[in-house]
C-alpha cells in the first residue's frame, strides 16, 4: 500500500442476511467452505419467472426495516410506508414470503442458500471490501451525502481503516490475474472493482434518487483513479469496492474487527 503506512486494519464487518434489505454489523464473521460469508445474502426473493427480485428492480425495498436475533433464527420486518409488521421464525419461510407478497403486491418466493448465499458475482463470491477514506472522498462529491448514508448505499461487507482514498484498489490485479492478500488468518484473492447499479443513487431510507448520480460518480472516479493500480479493470468508471474470493490455500475462516491486512501488492506489505 503506502510505504509510510505500517498497518491497515479491518474496522467494520457487515452482512446482509436477506438480499436488498438492511445489514447487520458484526464483531466476528465466519467464512464458509465455499468462501462466502456465513449468513450473507442467505435469503433472496424471486419472481414468478425465477429471477431475483431485489432493490435494483424495486425501490420500495428501501422502506423496509429488518432485525435479527444473534443466532439468526428469527426476523422482525417493518414496512415504514404502510406500518405493516411481521415477527416470525426464519424457518417459517412461507409466512415471511406471504408478507413480502402483500408488501410488493405480487407473487414472490423466498429462497434460502446456506452454502453460497445469493451473490451478484458468482465468480467472486467472497466479501466485498472498501476503505474508510474512500467513503469520505466519495461522500464529498455529492452535497449533503453523509459517509453513513454512502456506507448503506454501497453495502460492502468489509471496511478497512485506510489512510488515503482508494487504497483498496491495490488489492486487485489485471484481468485474469487475481491478487493474493490476507486479513487476519483468512487468505483472499482480489478479483476486480465492483460494478455498481442504481441502488447507490438512492437514499437507503426513503429511496429518493440523487439526479445524475452514476454519471457524476463515474466522472469523479476517473479523475481520481490512482495511477499505480490495474486500470485495465475499468471498462467504465462506475465501479467501487473490491470483489474477492477465498484463496485455494486458505486455512483460516474467522474474520475479526481489528484484524490486520497483509498484501504484497506493489511490493508494499502491512506488517
Amino acid at each position: 500500500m503506502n510505504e509510510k503506512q505500517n498497518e491497515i486494519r479491518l474496522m467494520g464487518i457487515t452482512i446482509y442476511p436477506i438480499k436488498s434489505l438492511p445489514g447487520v454489523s458484526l464483531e466476528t464473521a465466519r467464512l464458509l467452505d465455499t468462501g462466502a460469508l456465513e449468513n450473507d445474502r442467505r435469503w433472496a426473493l424471486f419472481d414468478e419467472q425465477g429471477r431475483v427480485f431485489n432493490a435494483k428492480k424495486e425501490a420500495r425495498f428501501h422502506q423496509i426495516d429488518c432485525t435479527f436475533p444473534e443466532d439468526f433464527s428469527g426476523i422482525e420486518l417493518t414496512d415504514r410506508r404502510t406500518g405493516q409488521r411481521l415477527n416470525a421464525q426464519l424457518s417459517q419461510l412461507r409466512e415471511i414470503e406471504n408478507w413480502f407478497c402483500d408488501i410488493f403486491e405480487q407473487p414472490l418466493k423466498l429462497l434460502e442458500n446456506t452454502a453460497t448465499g445469493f451473490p451478484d458475482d458468482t465468480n467472486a463470491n467472497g466479501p466485498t471490501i472498501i476503505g474508510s477514506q474512500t467513503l469520505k472522498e466519495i461522500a464529498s462529491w455529492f452535497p449533503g451525502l453523509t459517509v453513513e448514508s454512502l456506507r448503506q448505499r454501497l453495502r460492502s461487507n468489509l471496511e478497512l481503516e485506510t489512510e488515503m482514498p482508494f487504497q483498496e484498489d491495490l488489492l486487485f490485479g489485471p484481468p485474469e490475474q487475481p491478487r493474493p492478500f490476507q486479513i487476519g488468518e483468512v487468505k483472499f484473492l482480489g478479483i476486480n472493482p465492483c460494478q455498481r447499479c442504481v441502488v447507490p443513487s438512492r437514499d437507503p431510507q426513503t429511496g429518493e434518487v440523487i439526479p445524475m448520480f452514476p454519471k457524476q460518480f463515474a466522472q469523479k472516479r476517473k479523475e481520481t483513479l490512482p495511477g499505480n493500480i490495474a486500470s485495465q479493470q475499468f471498462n467504465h468508471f462506475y465501479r467501487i469496492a473490491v470483489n474477492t474470493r477465498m484463496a485455494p490455500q486458505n486455512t483460516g475462516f474467522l474474520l475479526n474487527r481489528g484484524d490486520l491486512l497483509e498484501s504484497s501488492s506493489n511490493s508494499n506489505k502491512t506488517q
Side-chain angles (χ1 to χ4, degrees), residues 195-257:
Q195 178 170 278
R196 311 316 301 202
C197 62
V198 66
V199 171
S201 70
R202 301 198 202 117
D203 186 292
Q205 300 300 313
T206 67
E208 183 180 356
V209 174
I210 296 176
M212 303 294 289
F213 182 91
K215 183 177 181 179
Q216 293 180 30
F217 184 108
Q219 180 179 335
K220 293 293 291 184
R221 182 74 160 119
K222 183 178 181 179
E223 292 172 359
T224 56
L225 198 71
N228 57 342
I229 68 166
S231 58
Q232 312 97 304
Q233 293 275 23
F234 290 84
N235 58 336
H236 62 79
F237 294 92
Y238 191 41
R239 291 178 176 271
I240 198 69
V242 181
N243 289 328
T244 73
R245 62 174 179 257
M246 195 162 62
Q249 71 275 24
N250 179 67
T251 55
F253 290 89
L254 285 180
L255 290 169
N256 301 281
R257 287 186 61 182

Side-chain angles (χ1 to χ4, degrees), residues 29-31 35 127 181-189 245-247 250-256 259-260 262:
R30 185 170 77 91
L31 273 87
F181 63 93
Q182 186 167 334
I183 300 177
E185 298 300 316
V186 183
K187 297 176 182 178
F188 291 102
L189 296 175
R245 62 174 179 257
M246 195 162 62
N250 179 67
T251 55
F253 290 89
L254 285 180
L255 290 169
N256 301 281
D259 280 349
L260 193 63
E262 295 184 30

Side-chain angles (χ1 to χ4, degrees), residues 12 15-16 19 30 40 42 51 57 62 69 79 84 94 99 108 128 133 139 161 179 187 205 218 234 254 265:
I15 59 170
Y16 300 86
K19 197 173 180 73
R30 185 170 77 91
D40 187 48
R42 176 174 168 179
R51 298 171 301 198
K57 302 174 182 178
H62 300 296
D79 181 3
Q84 289 176 259
R94 182 59 61 86
W99 188 86
L108 296 167
T128 52
Q133 292 303 312
E161 189 170 15
R179 180 162 289 168
K187 297 176 182 178
Q205 300 300 313
F234 290 84
L254 285 180
S265 58

Side-chain angles (χ1 to χ4, degrees), residues 65-117:
D65 292 327
C66 62
T67 57
F68 304 86
E70 191 172 331
D71 62 359
F72 292 96
S73 61
I75 186 171
E76 183 173 339
L77 291 158
T78 304
D79 181 3
R80 284 181 273 106
R81 184 175 57 93
T82 64
Q84 289 176 259
R85 304 186 70 171
L86 176 70
N87 201 320
Q89 294 297 300
L90 275 163
S91 58
Q92 302 171 289
L93 289 187
R94 182 59 61 86
E95 184 177 350
I96 301 169
E97 186 178 277
N98 289 338
W99 188 86
F100 283 117
C101 291
D102 289 341
I103 295 299
F104 293 115
E105 302 175 308
Q106 62 179 285
L108 296 167
K109 296 291 291 183
L110 181 64
L111 301 182
E112 179 182 15
N113 187 326
T114 58
T116 63

